Amino acid sequence: MPEDDPAVPRWRRRKEARPREIVDAALTVFGERGFAATRLDDVAARAGVSKGTLYLYFPNKEELFKAVVREAILPNLNMAERLLAGAQGPSFAVLETLLTLFATRILKSRAGAIPKLIIAEAGNFPDLARFYYDEVIRRAFALLAAVLERGMARGEFRPVDVDSTVRLIVAPMLMSALWRSSFEALEGRPPDVAALLAAHLDALRRTLAPEGGPPS
């Protein structure tokens, strides 16, 4: 029986799998309890390892949280940057692809809990807020700004204030993540991310349309 078979107890699996299992468990526990209330004992128990084993890979809770962000969000940013770098078509199609990537790979996954966690804990853990700002927000904003600037340069978008428009683009997506983490249980159903995305893209198409017609 191979060591990575799910039927094999976690303590018998190869050591290379342990950091990923710990990070995966941490994402679940952080999402359920927030950063401050999460104990490393709980993460270790969820991962099926001892607390001592967890410390072999992550010296403290802050470094574990950073690993969660790097594992759950940064690969999607890397993908988005590659998509933009290789884009050949209309700028609105590029924007649609990037927002769809964000909606499907973050909002619909457990990683969608991370934005709320950061907003809730930023005041008490400014170093984590700075890390998230530098590693995620700045890169995401730069991506969207580059798409807007590309569209304006090609005459596909009307002139807009780039910084303000980037924030407006992000706002509904962020609201969806916060709503899912805070009110989904009260509503009894998850938010319809696909419908939100479609409505948001329709509004953006109208907002960014150049004089005389919709963006191509």
Side-chain angles (χ1 to χ4, degrees):
M1 183 178 293
E3 289 188 42
D4 58 356
D5 190 292
V8 178
R10 288 184 175 179
W11 61 269
R12 286 179 52 195
R13 298 182 197 173
R14 62 183 184 274
K15 292 181 179 180
E16 302 94 289
R18 288 178 186 164
R20 183 178 291 272
E21 291 174 349
I22 293 169
V23 169
D24 185 68
L27 174 57
T28 299
V29 178
F30 282 136
E32 292 172 350
R33 304 187 182 185
F35 181 80
T38 291
R39 301 184 310 151
L40 292 183
D41 304 77
D42 300 324
V43 175
R46 182 70 64 98
V49 301
S50 69
K51 189 174 179 180
T53 297
L54 187 153
Y55 276 120
L56 289 176
Y57 301 100
F58 306 102
N60 52 54
K61 189 164 64 170
E62 289 77 8
E63 291 304 313
L64 178 57
F65 178 78
K66 291 177 182 179
V68 167
V69 172
R70 292 185 177 116
E71 182 74 23
I73 293 184
L74 295 194
N76 299 304
L77 277 175
N78 295 338
M79 182 184 300
E81 288 169 346
R82 291 194 299 269
L83 285 170
L84 178 58
Q88 300 294 326
S91 297
F92 194 83
V94 177
L95 179 61
E96 182 173 7
T97 298
L98 295 180
L99 293 184
T100 300
L101 173 69
F102 176 76
T104 56
R105 296 179 67 93
I106 296 180
L107 290 185
K108 287 187 174 182
S109 74
R110 289 177 299 149
I114 294 177
K116 179 198 172 184
L117 189 156
I118 286 292
I119 291 171
E121 309 276 22
N124 293 323
F125 300 96
D127 289 343
L128 286 185
R130 169 57 64 180
F131 162 79
Y132 191 80
Y133 178 81
D134 289 340
E135 297 285 333
V136 177
I137 294 175
R138 288 179 63 178
R139 288 177 64 186
F141 277 27
L143 267 170
L144 294 173
V147 176
L148 293 175
E149 290 163 354
R150 179 183 189 269
M152 289 188 290
R154 291 160 59 110
E156 297 168 335
F157 296 163
R158 70 180 180 85
V160 296
D161 181 88
V162 172
D163 183 67
S164 299
T165 305
V166 165
R167 293 168 190 268
L168 289 173
I169 291 172
V170 170
M173 314 300 282
L174 178 58
M175 177 61 184
S176 179
L178 298 178
W179 192 272
R180 180 183 176 194
S181 298
S182 301
F183 302 113
E184 179 178 319
L186 297 178
E187 282 196 322
R189 58 182 175 84
D192 190 337
V193 175
L196 169 69
L197 178 62
H200 187 33
L201 287 169
D202 182 62
L204 287 173
R205 187 177 287 107
R206 298 170 188 271
T207 298
L208 295 172
E211 191 71 26
S216 57

